[in-house]
Amino acid sequence: MSSVKDWAAPNPITENRGGLIGKGVERYEGRLKVTGSAPYAYEVEAPSRPAIGYMATASIAKGRITRIDTTAAEASPGVLLVWTHLNVPAQAPRGTRANPRSQRPSNPALAGDRIENFGQTVAFVVADTFENARAAANLIEIEYAAEQGVVDFVASFDQADQPPGEEDVHIGDFPAAFAAAPVTVDETYESPVQNHVQMEPCATTAWWDGDKVTVHTSIQMVKGGQHALAETLAIPSDHVHLLTRYIGGGFGGKGQAYDDLILSALAARALGQPVKLAYTRQQMFHGTIHRPAVSMRVRLGAQPDGRLTAFAVEAITHCARNAIFTEHAANFSRNLYAAPNRLTGHRLVKMDLPGAGPMRAPGEAPGMLSLECAMDELAEKLGLDPIELRIRNEPDVDPETGKPFSVRQLVQCMRDGATRFGWERRNPKPGQVRDGRWLVGMGMAAAIRGNFLLPAKAGVRIDADGTITLRQGMTDIGTGTYTILAQITAETMGVPMEQVKVEMGDSNFPPAPGSGGQFGAATAGSAAYEAGMNLRKALTALAVGDPNSPLYGGPAEYVTFENGNIAIENRSETLAALVARAAPDGVYVEGSISPAADARDYSQHTYGAHFAEVGVDTVTGEVRMRKMFGVFAAGRILNAKTARSQITGGMIWGVGTALTESNVVDARYGSFINQDMAGYLVPAHADIVDLDAIFLDEADDKANPMGIKGVGELGICGAGAAVANAIYNATGVRLRDYPMTPEKVLEGMLAVGL
Amino acid sequence: MKTTITVNGTARTLDVDSRTTLLDALREHIGLIGSKKGCDHGQCGACTVLVNGARINSCLSLLAMHDGDQVTTIEGLGTAENLHPVQQAFLENDAFQCGYCTPGQICSAVGMLQEAADGWPSQVMEDVAAMVDLSEAEIRERMSGNICRCSAYPQIVAAIRSVAGDAA
């Protein structure tokens, strides 16, 4: 196993002779996307015209189907099949892992008469057209024996347990230190259920060839989807060819196999023709995962100079009864601020709601909404600037583990951001700045998000015309993966971008873990880099061993790759010439990456600082963004353009978190009240004003050979808290219940006499 | 029932279910996949196309309502080799990520630029009788029917402004 010492050696990426690393090149697949010609899962060309599926879903949260009548649906025009739990083909029981190497177990659809959440699929129709399938699905009659489910989170805190296998982290003596602290904050912050609302609903097109199935599906994890389908159908995984080339947004919500994948594959087999199935927008809210609500109690105890002596962050959250998931909302706080006496932990309520699961920056995204406001509250009590308070609690080493940081530029992010944003314009006394009917305020928050590297492989081949093709079972959910892999491959091989092709999202390709946890670029990219380095070795051996090559005889250690040439000083030829002559069938090699044995000796994170300026309408309570700026440090940046887009996108998610995004449970039915995009409000164009971000120069040689880190999730971390702190600075109203909608703001302003 | 529409300059006669939306007619029957189904309820804008030059949500409109209409989809604006200026601006400004809302954003922007040129007022204009100045605020207001969950809004506004600037 490699060591971080190996990673620190100079390499083609860190040398960047071609200048492609960091360059804001246009998206690799950009032309396909702006012309509408990139086929998403529901749009791929099948061997013949697909039949269309449509799902019917449960209208209770918990209970049993007592009667289901499909007679009218079956007689409806164009209907090809109608399935319920009574007649769906055999599937492996849920959780089956016949192959111990499967990354995901079986996940059968229509698996029984039990209802475990509102919106569970209870029947499935396939017809010749979408209109006929939808009409028939609406003719299915279902009766239930409903049972009382646990659906009210706040009313169920007494049922909260320690998540399985976890313990609270105690360091020092928090209770004593908190009791002794001269200045304290003890507040609880609430964040609601949130939904991913990817623009493309989950969808699959499936067809069979003999006993093998091809599925084009919208999923973030290629192997996970392939294995889940194979386990569910009880067939070998190499009988499932899963493709996911273009994905209309994921954000964590497409990390697993849903019913569209299972049912379309089953129906295509039963009918002997291609079948495609998409969730409706409404079905997405219940049929796929959501971010659970989190209630966080934060207790801070400080000395008069601002130094924290007592620090506790405790989260209560929830998940589905039969799908354990913990939103680790307190974890980030273990690495952020110094304090000798610490307590952090989680409690989990099992509920009869749809499955909770990861959504962009799971843990940090809701978690930072609490602590980063509590720090603002503490700063005010101490009479300190919020940045200064954070600087006074900047740790020398990881405050929980004592490990050294690989690199940490949090203070630089805050200082640089303050200057660029104009933080000195902020009046620390709230409610002082008026602009007509608006009150104006500024807030800031820190950002932290862990950095990860997972095992991955990549394959790369060069053909006789010099074209270099990278192949990887990786996904691009809009993150820019195609583009950065092309840049890495081109820079590693010393060729122009035009000479590189990237093929991804295919279960036949060398596996990568997919998109999630902001590990994609570092993980897939490092494997691509290693594959490229192996291709350099192979081509070097080819050239120095070929009497017809100007490089014949070496020395191999002096070989360079630049401008499409392989060279030893002034002896050179093009890669195309070498391969055409010496290996006309092309050269294919693979590379792999895995975490270095000693990488975890370092505390590795990405950091940032958010600055927000808002106006609050004193008449309506409406909050309008006026300006937002972020400074981030996330290792070496591969592409200035796509990285900025990732980060600003995350910041805008933070604005949605602070101001509009919430799903409310209807306790009568265990349903989410907001089931569409008119009810669940994500930010729109008019909500976002003057928002930008920059990256500090950085390279983290403990992270991976390229010194890069993830940027996909960092932008949301802390962003909502900066907005909340700006609302406080504008009005003097401290809200601790997200989102900060006009009625809450107005009520708060009335309470403080505004 | 039979409906004849002209799509990107080509007349098409379709004989399909009367419940077929214009969006599904384009995607499922004509094979133009660029117009996207994000919500099927007129809430997201991913299905935006131009009908007789004006932008509409094609999911909220039945095909049968468009007999004789001229429809322009993203495929009718430009090709990968010959991009429409708005497509080119989206590419250069990185005004998209996952790409699913992008055809709708671009069609909407093309329709919006024409509306502005034609002097259509908006809520954020101080003087609705004045010439439309496509400021950032004006673009944001006029583009708010098109959701981008990846939240490429700053980049989209920059892209549209670059085109609006060229046109002025």
Side-chain angles (χ1 to χ4, degrees):
Chain A
M1 189 175 265
S2 59
S3 157
V4 295
K5 292 192 190 72
D6 307 326
W7 290 351
N11 64 50
I13 299 299
T14 58
E15 290 177 351
N16 198 21
R17 291 185 190 186
L20 293 174
I21 300 303
K23 193 174 175 186
V25 301
E26 288 165 5
R27 276 177 203 262
Y28 176 83
E29 80 292 10
R31 281 173 192 269
L32 294 178
K33 286 181 173 174
V34 299
T35 54
S37 47
Y40 294 77
Y42 198 75
E43 302 160 352
V44 295
E45 202 166 328
S48 61
R49 185 178 175 82
I52 312 284
Y54 197 95
M55 296 181 288
T57 59
S59 56
I60 63 168
K62 185 178 184 183
R64 195 168 60 80
I65 299 169
T66 55
R67 189 181 76 87
I68 190 158
D69 185 347
T70 58
T71 315
E74 284 163 14
S76 193
V79 169
L80 301 171
L81 66 78
V82 181
W83 283 343
T84 69
H85 65 283
L86 298 171
N87 66 337
V88 71
Q91 303 164 79
R94 183 162 65 190
T96 303
R97 210 183 289 258
N99 180 349
R101 294 166 62 91
S102 287
Q103 293 182 6
R104 288 273 184 169
S106 65
N107 185 29
L110 304 172
D113 64 352
R114 292 294 311 173
I115 302 300
E116 296 182 350
N117 63 264
F118 185 100
Q120 177 182 321
T121 310
V122 290
F124 177 56
V125 176
V126 181
D128 57 345
T129 67
F130 175 71
E131 293 77 22
N132 280 335
R134 179 179 56 189
N138 286 326
L139 295 173
I140 296 169
E141 291 178 27
I142 307 168
E143 289 174 18
Y144 304 95
E147 298 162 20
Q148 184 59 49
V150 176
V151 296
D152 187 335
F153 174 53
V154 175
S156 310
F157 285 176
D158 59 337
Q159 298 177 36
D161 288 326
Q162 194 105 31
E166 294 185 17
E167 288 181 4
D168 294 342
V169 174
H170 296 269
I171 294 172
D173 185 346
F174 169 78
F178 187 69
V183 184
T184 61
V185 168
D186 179 358
E187 297 293 350
T188 299
Y189 304 80
E190 314 289 343
S191 69
V193 168
Q194 296 166 346
N195 298 99
H196 305 74
V197 198
Q198 311 93 335
M199 294 303 293
E200 178 207 26
C202 291
T204 301
T205 302
W207 63 84
W208 289 75
D209 183 6
D211 59 357
K212 294 185 175 165
V213 64
T214 297
V215 286
H216 286 259
T217 190
S218 187
I219 195 167
Q220 294 171 230
M221 278 72 175
V222 173
K223 280 288 162 194
Q226 179 197 26
H227 293 169
L229 182 57
E231 289 286 355
T232 306
L233 271 51
I235 60 176
S237 63
D238 62 3
H239 287 208
V240 174
H241 186 198
L242 185 144
L243 299 107
T244 179
R245 292 195 176 125
Y246 303 102
I247 301 168
F251 313 115
K254 291 179 180 170
Q256 63 192 78
Y258 295 115
D259 291 349
D260 60 305
L261 178 61
I262 308 300
L263 289 171
S264 57
L266 282 172
R269 187 174 65 186
L271 293 170
Q273 71 173 106
V275 171
K276 64 180 182 178
L277 167 61
Y279 277 71
T280 67
R281 173 56 59 191
Q282 288 74 13
Q283 289 170 347
M284 287 294 289
F285 283 86
H286 294 102
T288 72
I289 58 170
H290 57 269
R291 192 200 301 283
V294 184
S295 176
M296 294 191 75
R297 184 180 183 194
V298 179
R299 284 175 287 173
L300 303 175
Q303 298 303 304
D305 65 0
R307 280 183 302 113
L308 288 165
T309 49
F311 181 93
V313 179
E314 296 163 286
I316 308 174
T317 180
H318 61 89
C319 68
R321 190 172 301 285
N322 296 313
I324 299 301
F325 168 82
T326 304
E327 181 82 29
H328 285 112
N331 275 6
F332 80 95
S333 72
R334 295 170 176 167
N335 314 106
L336 192 50
Y337 300 122
N341 302 289
R342 313 174 69 90
L343 165 62
T344 50
H346 303 86
R347 295 293 181 274
L348 191 57
V349 185
K350 292 178 190 166
M351 297 179 68
D352 299 295
L353 290 175
M359 177 166 144
R360 201 171 199 170
E364 284 86 345
M368 296 199 81
L369 297 171
S370 64
L371 177 61
E372 287 307 288
C373 286
M375 288 294 280
D376 204 65
E377 299 196 40
L378 181 63
E380 190 182 35
K381 283 190 176 182
L382 291 161
L384 278 177
D385 182 272
I387 296 172
E388 180 59 27
L389 173 63
R390 287 167 171 85
I391 290 172
R392 290 188 187 182
N393 289 288
E394 174 70 6
D396 297 326
V397 294
D398 187 288
E400 180 174 306
T401 63
K403 291 177 183 176
F405 294 111
S406 57
V407 52
R408 176 170 162 126
Q409 298 200 78
L410 174 58
V411 171
Q412 290 87 331
C413 287
M414 292 190 291
R415 286 193 166 134
D416 196 33
T419 304
R420 291 168 183 267
F421 177 80
W423 183 247
E424 78 285 350
R425 295 177 294 133
R426 174 179 177 268
N427 186 331
K429 192 174 175 199
Q432 301 302 304
V433 182
R434 277 218 171 237
D435 177 11
R437 64 191 255 180
W438 300 88
L439 282 165
V440 181
M442 295 181 210
M444 63 81 58
I448 181 173
R449 172 69 179 149
N451 183 61
F452 308 98
L453 182 70
L454 303 180
K457 291 182 178 174
V460 63
R461 68 172 291 121
I462 181 164
D463 286 305
D465 66 353
T467 302
I468 295 171
T469 305
L470 181 78
R471 285 187 154 186
Q472 199 174 31
M474 181 57 191
T475 55
D476 186 332
I477 58 176
T479 40
T481 318
Y482 277 109
T483 314
I484 57 111
L485 291 180
Q487 288 174 276
I488 289 167
T489 302
E491 188 61 52
T492 305
M493 297 310 302
V495 300
M497 292 282 289
E498 298 72 38
Q499 209 171 320
V500 173
K501 287 204 284 191
V502 180
E503 297 177 357
M504 294 197 306
D506 188 322
S507 60
N508 289 342
F509 294 167
S515 303
Q518 92 170 13
F519 54 64
T523 297
S526 294
Y529 160 78
E530 295 289 353
M533 294 303 284
N534 288 340
L535 184 57
R536 286 170 63 116
K537 281 182 206 149
L539 294 176
T540 298
L542 204 58
V544 301
D546 177 6
N548 293 319
S549 171
L551 281 67
Y552 180 64
E557 55 271 30
Y558 290 127
V559 169
T560 57
F561 291 78
E562 268 184 271
N563 302 319
N565 296 322
I566 182 170
I568 298 174
E569 294 179 341
N570 59 358
R571 291 181 287 149
S572 81
E573 62 177 327
T574 64
L575 294 179
L578 169 65
V579 175
R581 185 186 63 248
D585 293 336
V587 179
Y588 174 81
V589 298
E590 294 190 352
S592 64
I593 189 74
S594 54
D598 47 359
R600 289 291 139 197
D601 293 347
Y602 298 86
S603 181
Q604 289 188 22
H605 307 274
T606 56
Y607 297 94
H610 298 276
F611 295 84
E613 180 176 342
V614 303
V616 181
D617 188 327
T618 52
V619 178
T620 67
E622 183 189 12
V623 177
R624 298 280 301 158
M625 298 303 298
R626 293 194 163 202
K627 183 182 177 71
M628 194 157 180
F629 190 76
V631 178
F632 300 90
R636 178 176 277 110
I637 297 302
L638 291 169
N639 183 317
K641 215 177 247 189
T642 59
R644 170 176 172 255
S645 292
Q646 282 276 87
I647 280 283
T648 55
M651 291 166 69
I652 292 169
W653 274 54
V655 173
T657 299
L659 299 182
T660 58
E661 290 190 41
S662 170
N663 218 323
V664 177
V665 173
D666 184 332
R668 296 171 300 170
Y669 310 112
S671 61
F672 293 130
I673 286 174
N674 302 321
Q675 302 183 25
D676 61 29
M677 295 168 77
Y680 186 89
L681 299 178
V682 304
H685 274 285
D687 298 322
I688 302 306
V689 179
D690 191 5
L691 184 145
D692 206 352
I694 60 159
F695 293 98
L696 298 183
D697 281 341
E698 186 174 295
D700 189 337
D701 62 12
K702 310 296 190 296
N704 50 62
M706 298 185 289
I708 66 167
K709 294 196 275 198
V711 295
E713 298 183 339
L714 177 62
I716 188 176
C717 302
V723 176
N725 291 336
I727 294 171
Y728 176 76
N729 181 246
T731 61
V733 174
R734 179 63 74 178
L735 298 175
R736 301 182 186 88
D737 181 18
Y738 292 89
M740 294 169 184
T741 47
E743 73 277 10
K744 293 180 195 170
V745 176
L746 201 53
E747 195 179 320
M749 288 197 293
L750 290 171
V752 299
L754 281 167
Chain B
M1 63 179 294
K2 279 194 182 177
T3 308
T4 299
I5 55 172
T6 300
V7 181
N8 301 329
T10 304
R12 308 253 187 182
T13 299
L14 299 176
D15 187 3
V16 298
D17 194 314
S18 59
R19 297 165 296 185
T20 307
T21 62
L22 175 58
L23 175 62
D24 283 329
L26 292 168
R27 286 168 59 82
E28 303 298 328
H29 298 282
I30 300 178
L32 294 175
I33 61 169
S35 306
K36 301 302 184 192
K37 185 183 282 191
C39 73
D40 221 10
H41 276 57
Q43 297 167 347
C44 77
C47 67
T48 305
V49 300
L50 302 167
V51 173
N52 303 327
R55 52 185 174 154
I56 69 161
N57 287 324
S58 63
C59 75
L60 282 188
S61 192
L62 295 170
L63 171 68
M65 297 156 65
H66 293 287
D67 198 48
D69 281 349
Q70 302 274 337
V71 178
T72 303
T73 69
I74 188 73
E75 292 91 345
L77 290 179
T79 62
E81 296 73 35
N82 186 22
L83 296 177
H84 183 280
V86 176
Q87 292 172 317
Q88 182 67 40
F90 268 59
L91 191 61
E92 288 173 4
N93 287 277
D94 204 40
F96 57 95
Q97 293 178 37
C98 82
Y100 201 77
C101 77
T102 310
Q105 298 275 358
I106 291 172
C107 285
S108 189
V110 170
M112 183 275 285
L113 290 168
Q114 189 59 48
E115 288 163 20
D118 291 345
W120 291 28
S122 86
Q123 184 179 323
V124 297
M125 290 175 71
E126 289 193 6
D127 175 5
V128 293
M131 288 286 290
V132 179
D133 170 20
L134 279 179
S135 64
E136 289 191 1
E138 197 66 55
I139 292 169
R140 284 193 290 262
E141 172 67 18
R142 289 166 185 261
M143 289 297 294
S144 279
N146 290 83
I147 303 291
C148 172
R149 184 52 159 164
C150 297
S151 303
Y153 298 124
Q155 294 83 352
I156 294 170
V157 171
I160 296 173
R161 241 176 102 80
S162 74
V163 177
D166 290 347

